[in-house]
Amino acid sequence: MLWLVALVGVAIVYLAARYSRFRKWAEPILSVAVAIALLSAFIIWISDNGERKAPAPEPVTKAPAVPATENISLDGMTFEQSQPERSFRLRGTVTNNGQTPLEYFRLSVTLEDCPQETCEKIGDDTALVLARVPVGQAKPFETFLTFPSREGESLTAPKWTYQVLEVRGAASR
């Protein structure tokens, strides 16, 4: 089809260059030829897209959420101050005690400042920790936490409390 349009276009240009009486008809004829070519291409495109429907995606099976406290244990939790001032690096080790390989877990951390046995809550942060740990094994993890900062206030006696909110295991393959 494309070669036919190109052949007609070349013929029209040749005739317009060769014969002066044909020149005044060359532009309208080329415009009509281009319009017909575009219309043909559009019809072909529509008919091809109608035939090539995408196959329905296979359903994805998600592993069930498992009780957080029964399936993992966290050890060696350390909090290091980072930059800016109220940003902290959390490191620890997660052990998978569950029946399925671990994919990730969500950890909620609360920071308090307790200078003289009276604690003032600074803030909370939740981290999504990607930790692919096979059943019965342990792996180190690292994440960052950020808490609200007040100008001129620094922490004197930080106190950390954390809780595992969600644990997600991998589906059996």
Side-chain angles (χ1 to χ4, degrees):
M1 177 75 167
L2 185 59
W3 63 269
L4 181 63
V5 172
L7 184 64
V8 169
V10 168
I12 291 171
V13 170
Y14 172 76
L15 291 172
R18 185 88 169 126
Y19 303 104
S20 63
R21 292 176 69 190
F22 191 75
R23 283 186 194 139
K24 65 180 177 178
W25 296 99
E27 185 179 348
I29 291 173
L30 282 175
S31 298
V32 170
V34 168
I36 291 172
L38 288 174
L39 183 63
S40 299
F42 180 71
I43 290 171
I44 290 170
W45 179 73
I46 290 291
S47 65
D48 276 354
N49 281 345
E51 293 173 9
R52 285 191 230 158
K53 290 186 178 176
E58 293 183 27
V60 177
T61 57
K62 290 186 178 178
V66 289
T69 55
E70 296 176 12
N71 293 310
I72 68 168
S73 59
L74 303 176
D75 300 308
M77 302 284 279
T78 61
F79 297 86
E80 299 173 17
Q81 192 165 5
S82 187
Q83 292 297 326
E85 186 177 320
R86 294 280 174 101
S87 178
F88 295 87
R89 177 181 294 187
L90 167 63
R91 291 184 177 147
T93 303
V94 59
T95 304
N96 184 359
N97 302 322
Q99 301 299 317
T100 59
L102 176 65
E103 285 289 320
Y104 67 85
F105 62 95
R106 287 190 192 279
L107 186 66
S108 175
V109 179
T110 301
L111 171 62
E112 296 176 298
D113 192 17
C114 303
Q116 298 170 351
E117 301 290 328
T118 57
C119 294
E120 176 189 353
K121 182 176 177 179
I122 303 298
D124 297 306
D125 196 5
T126 302
L128 174 68
V129 181
L130 299 175
R132 292 182 172 85
V133 183
V135 175
Q137 293 187 19
K139 286 195 176 179
F141 70 90
E142 179 178 310
T143 190
F144 288 89
L145 304 166
T146 305
F147 298 95
S149 178
R150 294 189 194 118
E151 191 68 34
E153 288 185 23
S154 60
L155 296 174
T156 54
K159 177 183 173 190
W160 303 94
T161 54
Y162 59 87
Q163 174 185 9
V164 177
L165 298 178
E166 176 187 6
V167 176
R168 182 68 64 165
S172 300
R173 296 179 185 167

